[in-house]
Amino acid sequence: MTQVFKGHAGIGDEVTGEALVASDNFSARYDLDRIKGVFSRPQHKLYGQSYDGKILILNAAKGGVASAWMLQEMVSRGVTPKALILNFANPIMAQGAAFANLAMIDRFDIDITTAIPSGARVTVVPAKGEIRLLD
Amino acid sequence: MRLNDYEQEMLAGEHGAAKKYGMEQVVRVGTFFDAPDTVEVAQVHLMADPESLGSSGVEFLEGLAALPKAERTVVVPAVTDPRGVDLAAYQRLGQTEGMADLERRATAAFRALGFMMTDTCINYQTICPPVLGEHVAFGDTGSSIYANSVQGARTNFEGGPSALAAALTGRAPRYGFHLDAVRRGSCVFEVDFRPKDLSDWGALGAYVGRKMASYWEVPVITGFDDAPTSDELKQFGAALASFGSTPLFHMIGITPEAPTLAAVFDAVVPKAEKIGKLEVDALIQSYMPSDDKLDVVVFAGPQLSLMEMQTLAGLMQDRHIHKDVALIATTSPEIKYACDRMGLTETIEGAGGMVLSGVCFYQMYAREIGEANGWKRLMSNSAKLVNILGGYGYEPVLATMEACVDSAVQGRISEAAQ
């Protein structure tokens, strides 16, 4: 049976893909090599891993304001996560997702980083604020 | 969201494509955060360096800039955050013509939209400081936290697309730190020592920032009887916002909304977590490498005030930077003019340093200029800069301005810094 996790209604279109999960935070400027599409901050739990084409599931938005432009820039170059799922977004991530029309949901009733394992296939339904665990 | 007639007209495109974009962005973000309606903002501060924009972002701006003037022009005073390329210095830094071209195009588009190219992240010190209760849309974490906390103005972090929307419509969604309820304290930190240097103030902000679970937590600081300086609060806030994604702090007896603990907590005041010099020193020490190699010293993040530039010039008077080390200081165009007039630029550059205008190091294609110049080990007195640059391939070290300058002169990390 498909498990469904509920968050706040989000931004963007429905997408399906492989989850990349860590109990760590997220900033496009601080954490990523956006040309190579990998996490580049040595202290990040996903250091060295590719986020391209993944449903990225992390704890909270951190860091500066650059992510608001950078999400759209990542989408335009085609090296981008399919969706960004956070326990807590901040305005910058929401503004960036709205500008880029990147799927994003936050504010779940559980810790979403412990509910979904890395590698699982999930469907993200922003209009309903739902993540469906398919495997 | 409730929109008035004019806002609905903007959303429907009756006032042109630029305002339509702006209202769509306001409504999308406002809906995400359950904003009931909008606030009118008095001024806008927009971050949009070319590295963040990319070519697609610049093309988007050029599309708006090509609209008729009456449709495209901002409706409230709007200023810019640091740019990514100092066109007077980019070749010396190893920045490419492609980077400079993107910068020129973005700047031309912003001018066509009616932005004032202040190119500074210290607009709250140098351009037009907001006042208690004023709704603004500020687009740099450092400028936002200073405006909210020290000046008592009201803003969320307004990233470029939303700050642009605010400039074009005069509106921001009413949620987050525009609301009284969100500005209440969440937790208390009791500081039992007085930081001495700006780097210590930044490290204290970094320590508190690491404790913040999300954007929505408001730390309340106790333990200070005498007011810190503007530059001390600037470094503290910039680091807190960088490490914590935190847009507001209260400092009891110092910041305007927090005369007492009772003023920022509704009922029970949470138990305070104590912070001593030991904890802050340990944070600084965590960045110290095992060897003393040094490539570049940077004073930036935030741009330096006139007072900081004077201190730096004093430390560099009659000295010379080691031939194997670069030293860079960034400031705003207005402060750079002042430094030129007062001889501070001449002193710093005479000692072998570079004074850059209208840029900030981490917004200058930091990865690419590091690779072009062979810079890896970097020293700074800015905790914010040290936090950011780890992700750009640098090995950053946090130390006082004095220790940074001494190290630049010696060509290696000085013993005093270790």
Side-chain angles (χ1 to χ4, degrees):
Chain A
M1 188 176 128
T2 302
Q3 266 188 289
V4 178
F5 300 98
K6 285 287 289 180
H8 190 280
I11 289 167
D13 302 323
E14 180 177 321
V15 290
T16 295
E18 180 187 331
L20 178 63
V21 188
S23 59
D24 205 336
N25 301 314
F26 181 70
S27 161
R29 191 199 285 278
Y30 291 24
D31 295 331
L32 306 184
D33 182 330
R34 289 169 290 112
I35 304 300
K36 294 178 181 167
V38 297
F39 280 81
S40 59
R41 174 196 284 275
Q43 294 82 11
H44 200 282
K45 289 180 179 170
L46 295 177
Y47 175 64
Q49 296 200 49
S50 170
Y51 56 77
D52 188 21
K54 302 288 174 60
I55 307 290
L56 190 53
I57 302 179
L58 291 164
N59 179 44
K62 285 267 181 173
V65 298
S67 300
W69 289 117
M70 285 179 173
L71 294 185
Q72 197 271 342
E73 185 258 349
M74 289 157 62
V75 168
S76 76
R77 285 190 297 99
V79 183
T80 176
K82 277 187 176 173
L84 183 56
I85 307 300
L86 298 164
N87 279 322
F88 298 102
N90 68 2
I92 296 303
M93 290 303 160
Q95 294 158 10
F99 186 56
N101 197 34
L102 178 71
M104 188 171 82
I105 302 176
D106 80 336
R107 286 164 283 175
F108 293 87
D109 44 19
I110 50 155
D111 178 354
I112 197 66
T113 67
T114 60
I116 295 177
S118 236
R121 277 185 65 75
V122 296
T123 292
V124 177
V125 189
K128 294 184 176 179
E130 287 182 3
I131 298 185
R132 297 170 189 160
L133 181 56
L134 304 177
D135 293 340
Chain B
M1 284 178 73
R2 287 192 310 275
L3 303 180
N4 65 26
D5 290 346
Y6 180 59
E7 290 165 344
Q8 289 185 31
E9 289 169 13
M10 286 195 283
L11 187 63
E14 293 174 27
H15 298 280
K19 287 183 173 57
K20 182 176 195 305
Y21 155 74
M23 275 314 296
E24 286 175 347
Q25 181 74 6
V26 166
V27 169
R28 281 184 193 146
V29 175
T31 302
F32 185 81
F33 287 116
D34 303 316
D37 57 5
T38 68
V39 294
E40 294 191 26
V41 297
Q43 57 165 309
V44 169
H45 174 244
L46 181 137
M47 179 277 183
D49 64 60
E51 180 195 349
S52 305
L53 284 167
S55 56
S56 66
V58 173
E59 285 162 16
F60 168 76
L61 294 172
E62 289 175 331
L64 294 179
L67 295 169
K69 189 170 183 182
E71 290 184 20
R72 71 181 189 233
T73 304
V74 300
V75 298
V76 292
V79 302
T80 54
D81 204 40
R83 309 300 313 147
V85 178
D86 179 343
L87 292 170
Y90 73 97
Q91 289 161 322
R92 280 191 288 163
L93 288 162
Q95 290 178 310
T96 65
E97 286 302 323
M99 296 171 185
D101 282 345
L102 211 54
E103 177 67 76
R104 292 186 189 99
R105 287 170 53 196
T107 297
F110 280 124
R111 286 196 172 127
L113 296 173
F115 276 83
M116 293 181 276
M117 304 305 291
T118 54
D119 304 347
T120 183
C121 56
I122 53 171
N123 59 314
Y124 50 85
Q125 286 182 318
T126 61
I127 303 295
C128 187
V131 299
L132 182 66
E134 186 177 21
H135 293 282
V136 298
F138 274 15
D140 172 279
T141 57
S143 67
S144 297
I145 195 170
Y146 195 99
N148 269 326
S149 310
V150 181
Q151 293 163 328
R154 296 184 169 219
T155 185
N156 287 303
F157 287 167
E158 297 290 359
S162 285
L164 178 60
L168 293 167
T169 63
R171 306 314 201 258
R174 188 193 302 274
Y175 72 99
F177 291 87
H178 292 291
L179 304 173
D180 288 341
V182 179
R183 299 176 70 89
R184 311 294 287 164
S186 307
C187 49
V188 181
F189 294 91
E190 183 182 341
V191 181
D192 72 0
F193 75 108
R194 177 92 180 183
K196 283 201 306 193
D197 295 285
L198 293 180
S199 53
D200 297 330
W201 280 98
L204 177 63
Y207 186 89
V208 175
R210 281 183 173 168
K211 300 277 183 181
M212 297 295 98
S214 79
Y215 177 83
W216 310 102
E217 287 200 53
V218 178
V220 177
I221 316 298
T222 68
F224 296 114
D225 296 326
D226 299 323
T229 66
S230 174
D231 285 331
E232 288 170 343
L233 288 170
K234 173 172 89 170
Q235 283 289 345
F236 173 79
L240 174 50
S242 175
F243 281 79
S245 184
T246 304
L248 170 66
F249 68 87
H250 297 301
M251 195 171 276
I252 299 300
I254 306 293
T255 57
E257 293 172 73
T260 62
L261 279 167
V264 289
F265 287 101
D266 293 323
V268 180
V269 177
K271 187 174 186 306
E273 177 178 341
K274 295 198 174 182
I275 305 176
K277 190 171 183 305
L278 204 62
E279 285 80 12
V280 171
D281 285 348
L283 186 145
I284 295 171
Q285 200 59 35
S286 71
Y287 287 98
M288 195 56 66
S290 56
D291 64 86
D292 63 2
K293 188 174 179 334
L294 179 61
D295 298 316
V296 61
V297 170
V298 178
F299 301 109
Q303 290 174 333
L304 273 61
S305 69
L306 184 60
M307 282 70 167
E308 290 173 287
M309 292 296 288
Q310 184 187 41
T311 302
L312 178 59
L315 289 169
M316 295 181 73
Q317 183 82 47
D318 300 325
R319 301 174 84 182
H320 290 283
I321 301 304
H322 192 277
K323 64 180 175 54
D324 295 333
V325 174
L327 185 146
I328 293 169
T330 71
T331 190
S332 73
E334 271 64 40
I335 298 300
K336 172 70 164 43
Y337 293 139
C339 291
D340 291 350
R341 283 195 296 115
M342 296 172 191
L344 303 178
T345 306
E346 188 179 359
T347 300
I348 294 167
E349 297 201 330
M354 288 178 74
V355 178
L356 302 182
S357 171
V359 290
C360 195
F361 189 82
Y362 71 92
Q363 293 170 300
M364 291 168 53
Y365 296 94
R367 184 188 307 282
E368 289 82 354
I369 61 172
E371 290 169 358
N373 291 281
W375 295 335
K376 194 166 185 66
R377 180 68 54 71
L378 177 147
M379 277 184 95
S380 178
N381 71 336
S382 162
K384 171 178 178 169
L385 195 68
V386 163
N387 187 37
I388 295 172
L389 290 179
Y392 276 93
Y394 289 84
E395 296 172 357
V397 179
L398 180 60
T400 66
M401 181 181 276
E402 185 175 6
C404 288
V405 172
D406 288 347
S407 300
V409 169
Q410 293 172 26
R412 57 185 172 75
I413 299 172
S414 73
E415 285 185 18
Q418 297 178 46

